[in-house]
Amino acid sequence: MSLLRRVFRPDARSERGAALLIVLLLVATLSVLSLAIVQTVTHAYRLSGLSSSRSQALWLAVGVEDFAKVKLQQALQLTEGKLDRRTPGLDEPLVVPVEGGEIRAVISDASNCFNLNSLVQSEEALSNPDVVDAGAFYLAMLEALQIDPTQAREMLAATQDWIDADNAPRSFGAETSFYASQEKPYAAGNTYLASPQEVLAIRGYSPEVFRRIRPLICTLPNDQVGQFNINMLTPDQAPLLAPVFAGVVSIDSIYGQLEAQQGRSFADTEEFFAQPMFAVVDPEQRLDSLLSVEAHLFRLRGEVVYLDTVSSYEAIFERGQSGAIRLLRRRLGVDE
């Protein structure tokens, strides 16, 4: 009987050994948990610091925006809204020292671009003879860029499908049903484009095509094609004028004309249209409403250097009919 007790009943030393093993396992487990907690807290602290720096950078950028608005307002009052390359303050680097860093910024005229969001004009809008057909303009601009006509129609239809609210694809277009079938599925935006970069997600836009159209496009929160400031046009923006003259004037001729007039300022659009090259175009064929000697859109772009972070940012301003400057869009961490 005593033998059976010794076999089936562990002695005191065995019990102490088992208890010690359990304690060691608990200590090891708690050590791992403690390390994980410390790592999590440290990571959260770092994120908190980064978030705080980012928030501070945003507030600093907003302060520069206020300064830029005042500066623009003063310049526009002096020039009665007419801006050209000689306007003080435009395209000039601005550096503002702040505690913990500095802000670098440049204010530029952003009027000379085609608004991609205008491609979803309503039928009611297009029934107005004074409204420029954005789709026709876009195809003419792409033709001036020598983009294949079939690809151009695909780009137009796919962009319209991406922006509109429905899920019915147009001919040559693409809706969520197309994007969901890709290797990495996603859905169509079904709202205004927030950034020109977004078109890279749309059917028909290759990186090479995007590189060619990028200097000519923008994404404004409305369905207006835009209004181009002729005193700020550069030769590279010649494709914007090809649709204005209904294709009557070749893109090479427009390019040469813009290159020749660099540094010249026109008092009004009539003086611009009176140039021999453009005077041959029937006024009924021209899209006069798209040209102006006034600036309507402005871009503030730069970097906020604060502590250990560098944040790029962009702000778009619009000059309203009353002359007041208002913020259209702000983005921190610009990706282009």
Side-chain angles (χ1 to χ4, degrees), residues 54 57 67 90 106 143 248 267 281 323:
R54 185 177 175 84
F67 175 77
L90 283 185
V106 173
E143 180 183 353
V248 176
V281 183

Side-chain angles (χ1 to χ4, degrees), residues 103-122:
I103 304 170
R104 309 163 191 156
V106 173
I107 305 172
S108 58
D109 184 345
S111 303
N112 295 334
C113 62
F114 170 75
N115 178 22
L116 287 172
N117 288 325
S118 66
L119 292 175
V120 286
Q121 292 168 320
S122 65

